[in-house]
Amino acid sequence: MNTLPTTAPVAALAERLGGDDLPAYVYDLTALAGHAQEIRAALPQAVELYYAAKANPEPPVLRALAPYVTGYEVASGGELAHVREAVPEAPLAFGGPGKTETELRRALALGAERFHVESEHELRLLASLAGSRPVDVLLRVNLSLTDEALGGAALAMGGRPSPFGLDPDRVEGCLPLFTPHGPLRLRGIHAHLASGLDAPAQIAVAGRIAGWTSELSARHGLGLTEVNVGGGMGVDYARPDARFDWKAYGEGLADVADRNPGLTLRIEPGRALTAYCGWYVTEVLDLKHSRGEAFAVLRGGTHHLRTPAAKQHDHPFQVLPTTSWDRDWPRPAAREEPVTLVGQLCTPKDVLARGVPVTELRAGDRVAFALAGAYAWNISHHDFLMHPKPGFHYLGG
């Protein structure tokens, strides 16, 4: 079984929670702050670290990260207002495709520090709304990457036909919209091309983006000063104790910066910052056998924790045994056999982990799913079948 042992505070809280208090999300903010501090220390001081709030926008999580991040990347008007309220003084970068006029107006009113613009139409719309206010822009570019570079990506955002960003040959057509007396100021280039890459692949992608930006700037005399190389640092759910090599990545970024003087490098990780701080804790309602296979039916399911369904994996978990059993009948159990962990939804797709060997798992035991601190609750279909929502608990911070 691929498992990541719960921290002692998480296990202690899980033991205290009654059945009706479950499922529950538990966020270890002390562990999160320690992880963020290590990441910040591994990066060159000049590299700016933005947190992609879409990964987990819970206000306590945003605030726990505040001492270690330069700012926050948001991808909708709702996220922008939410993050601005949670961490009012933090710089915000507004990205994402399909920005509406209402959202752009809101971003201007709330003083977003950077706009990641995805198309010429969006650029013209932003200029028409800005009035006399100066607006700092990064053009998002869909740079080409080799199949080898994209081969390790869990999710390819660019390097091929995509709704994200501008093709490189269309960038030059946007340059006349940046005039000396106009509201738009071109600060640099943004290019988030792939997610799920290891440190060597991320370094190669960062070098490609920064080199292209430097060449564009020199060719047109733009004096660009910023390049955002995106996020997408790999998180391996099959090896939950493994971590992205931030030290190697920081050393690689230092080399990229040396080769591109005058450019400030910015990264915007999400999942790799917060995934490890979150747990989804629930209990086994029933343990049954069907045609020779064992199934543990849990409170909750993928309407709370959609990650395993979205990524098509078996989510890592730890069994937290409970000794009490006050029923008059034998306690349903599985011993020394593979078990499939499912939720309460009326669909065979409500599976959190399939055929995972366990030593013992019984009705009434608790199960703590690791790596639930990112793209978990906030991407789930909460209201399907109208089950109760989980509780939320924050440790430390």
Side-chain angles (χ1 to χ4, degrees):
M1 178 172 66
N2 292 320
T3 184
L4 185 66
T6 56
T7 63
V10 172
L13 176 62
E15 187 175 349
R16 292 196 304 270
L17 295 174
D20 289 340
D21 299 323
L22 299 172
Y25 272 96
V26 181
Y27 300 108
D28 189 337
L29 301 182
T30 301
L32 172 62
H35 180 51
Q37 186 175 30
E38 290 175 0
I39 291 172
R40 181 62 268 180
L43 298 172
Q45 187 174 3
V47 170
E48 295 185 349
L49 171 61
Y50 273 57
Y51 170 58
K54 64 178 72 66
N56 185 337
E58 293 294 321
V61 169
L62 298 175
R63 288 191 285 267
L65 290 172
Y68 312 104
V69 301
T70 313
Y72 299 80
E73 185 266 341
V74 296
S76 75
E79 273 193 355
L80 189 145
H82 173 84
V83 176
R84 182 61 92 203
E85 181 178 0
V87 278
E89 303 303 319
L92 301 183
F94 183 28
K99 302 178 188 69
T100 68
E101 181 174 335
T102 299
E103 288 177 317
L104 290 173
R105 289 185 185 278
R106 175 180 289 183
L108 290 166
L110 291 177
E113 281 73 12
R114 293 292 182 273
F115 287 76
H116 299 163
V117 174
E118 302 260 350
S119 71
E120 183 178 336
H121 166 71
E122 184 179 297
L123 190 64
R124 291 182 181 279
L125 179 59
L126 180 60
S128 72
L129 299 173
S132 60
R133 289 171 290 188
V135 179
D136 292 320
V137 169
L138 301 186
L139 290 178
R140 182 170 180 177
V141 182
N142 178 15
L143 293 177
S144 59
L145 289 177
T146 64
D147 290 340
E148 181 180 2
L150 288 174
L155 191 66
M157 310 289 286
R160 57 186 62 173
S162 169
F164 304 108
L166 291 144
D167 286 352
D169 60 2
R170 301 191 69 86
V171 170
E172 295 183 2
C174 293
L175 298 182
L177 297 176
F178 298 94
T179 62
H181 304 295
L184 304 185
R185 302 186 296 198
L186 181 59
R187 296 302 190 189
I189 296 298
H190 175 283
H192 175 48
L193 301 177
S195 293
L197 298 178
D198 63 12
Q202 285 281 13
I203 294 165
V205 170
R208 164 89 172 105
I209 298 167
W212 188 89
T213 302
S214 293
E215 191 277 331
L216 174 76
S217 182
R219 188 168 71 248
H220 292 280
L222 300 175
L224 301 182
T225 57
E226 301 174 15
V227 59
N228 187 323
V229 300
M233 295 73 188
V235 172
D236 191 343
Y237 290 86
R239 297 187 303 139
D241 57 342
R243 299 287 177 102
F244 181 81
D245 191 342
W246 288 101
K247 183 176 184 296
Y249 184 56
E251 292 170 352
L253 288 183
D255 181 63
V256 171
D258 288 344
R259 288 185 280 114
N260 296 275
L263 280 183
T264 295
L265 297 183
R266 184 177 302 135
I267 64 173
E268 52 182 40
R271 189 191 308 268
L273 264 175
T274 60
Y276 303 96
C277 83
W279 300 82
Y280 177 65
V281 181
T282 187
E283 73 167 335
V284 181
L285 295 174
D286 198 358
L287 200 300
K288 56 198 292 187
H289 287 78
S290 175
R291 299 179 183 268
E293 296 186 15
F295 292 85
V297 182
L298 311 178
R299 286 184 187 262
T302 55
H303 56 303
H304 292 167
L305 178 64
R306 187 170 174 261
T307 318
K311 294 185 70 67
Q312 295 293 296
H313 68 222
D314 300 320
H315 208 85
F317 65 90
Q318 182 184 5
V319 177
L320 303 175
T322 59
T323 56
S324 62
W325 180 255
D326 58 3
R327 307 297 186 183
D328 295 333
W329 52 88
R331 190 173 184 179
R335 296 183 175 87
E336 302 294 346
E337 61 181 310
V339 178
T340 295
L341 282 67
V342 304
Q344 296 173 282
L345 302 183
C346 301
T347 168
K349 295 185 178 182
D350 187 21
V351 178
L352 299 172
R354 190 180 300 277
V356 179
V358 299
T359 302
E360 182 178 61
L361 185 60
R362 304 163 298 178
D365 283 340
R366 306 292 165 82
V367 177
F369 289 91
L371 275 66
Y375 297 109
W377 167 249
N378 63 311
I379 66 163
S380 303
H381 47 296
H382 306 155
D383 293 328
F384 183 51
L385 292 194
M386 300 186 182
H387 284 293
K389 290 178 169 55
F392 291 83
H393 303 270
Y394 303 92
L395 303 174

